[in-house]
């Protein structure tokens, strides 16, 4: 096993932030740390969300303009131009930006990329999906409100023995009650 060594992660206002790590490898691949500042040249007001879908690496984040953005890459090094995540909206002829002030959640389930977020205007937890990473389905309100970002994952349920999409959020009606 290699010795601990400093690893530069990023710099901010001339201050270099470093971490220590031990290089390690999984049975099929080595882990590589990339410099995200040099890779995306984007800024976020909350932590980004990453996921692999259809042989692409997707990164999604929210910015101070309360819009969610997404970029993707085939190699994890060069990213496509950022796009605003826009969804079909009642009464509008074109998709509208999905407003949020908290990080979105992403999961891949049943051949689709799923997106959950907390609506910036009313705190509703919303869920939508896409088959191609670009055209999103009409969002569905899941029946709860939150003042934080949701979590989304896929779980192999023992009953009925199949994968299920699981959404979790912290409720605002019953202060900080977690819902799944």
């Amino acid at each position: 096993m290699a010795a601990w060594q400093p690893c530069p992660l990023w710099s901010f206002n001339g201050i270099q932030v470093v971490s220590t790590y031990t290089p390690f490898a999984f049975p099929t691949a080595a882990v590589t740390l990339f410099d995200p500042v040099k890779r995306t040249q984007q800024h976020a007001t909350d932590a980004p969300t990453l996921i692999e879908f259809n042989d692409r690496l997707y990164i999604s984040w929210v910015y101070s303009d309360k819009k969610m953005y997404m970029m993707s890459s085939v190699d994890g090094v060069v990213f496509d131009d950022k796009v605003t995540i826009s969804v079909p909206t009642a009464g509008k002829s074109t998709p509208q930006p999905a407003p949020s002030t908290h990080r979105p959640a992403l999961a891949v389930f049943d051949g689709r990329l799923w997106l959950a977020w907390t609506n910036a205007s009313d705190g509703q937890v919303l869920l939508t999906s896409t088959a191609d990473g670009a055209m999103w389905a009409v969002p569905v309100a899941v029946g709860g409100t939150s003042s934080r970002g949701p979590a989304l994952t896929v779980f192999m349920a023992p009953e009925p023995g199949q994968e299920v999409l699981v959404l979790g959020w912290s409720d605002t009606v019953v202060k900080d009650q977690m819902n799944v």
Side-chain angles (χ1 to χ4, degrees):
M1 181 178 275
W4 287 90
Q5 53 189 327
C7 172
L9 295 178
W10 69 86
S11 63
F12 177 75
N13 289 341
I15 300 169
Q16 188 174 41
V17 178
V18 298
S19 178
T20 55
Y21 73 99
T22 299
F24 59 96
F26 291 102
T28 59
V31 174
T32 304
L33 298 177
F34 292 114
D35 178 354
V37 174
K38 292 181 180 174
R39 300 291 184 230
T40 66
Q41 299 297 318
Q42 301 301 315
H43 302 278
T45 54
D46 203 345
T49 304
L50 296 164
I51 197 156
E52 184 275 332
F53 174 64
N54 287 346
D55 299 322
R56 296 186 71 86
L57 175 64
Y58 284 82
I59 182 170
S60 182
W61 70 98
V62 66
Y63 191 57
S64 60
D65 60 3
K66 297 183 181 178
K67 293 179 184 174
M68 288 188 296
Y69 296 96
M70 182 173 278
M71 295 168 61
S72 68
S73 171
V74 295
D75 62 7
V77 176
V78 177
F79 284 83
D80 295 341
D81 291 337
K82 77 176 179 183
V83 295
T84 303
I85 296 175
S86 297
V87 295
T89 305
K92 304 288 183 180
S93 60
T94 59
Q96 300 296 303
S100 186
T101 54
H102 304 287
R103 76 184 283 184
L106 297 170
V108 175
F109 175 69
D110 200 24
R112 298 182 67 85
L113 177 59
W114 291 82
L115 169 72
W117 75 97
T118 303
N119 190 310
S121 61
D122 58 12
Q124 284 191 59
V125 180
L126 299 167
L127 183 67
T128 187
S129 68
T130 177
D132 63 6
M135 299 295 295
W136 296 92
V138 174
V140 175
V142 299
T145 60
S146 183
S147 60
R148 297 183 175 93
L152 195 58
T153 193
V154 176
F155 174 69
M156 179 58 81
E159 295 292 327
Q162 63 186 21
E163 287 187 336
V164 293
L165 183 65
V166 180
L167 172 66
W169 71 94
S170 176
D171 204 307
T172 53
V173 175
V174 180
K175 183 80 170 130
D176 296 331
Q177 174 180 299
M178 291 191 300
N179 297 295
V180 176

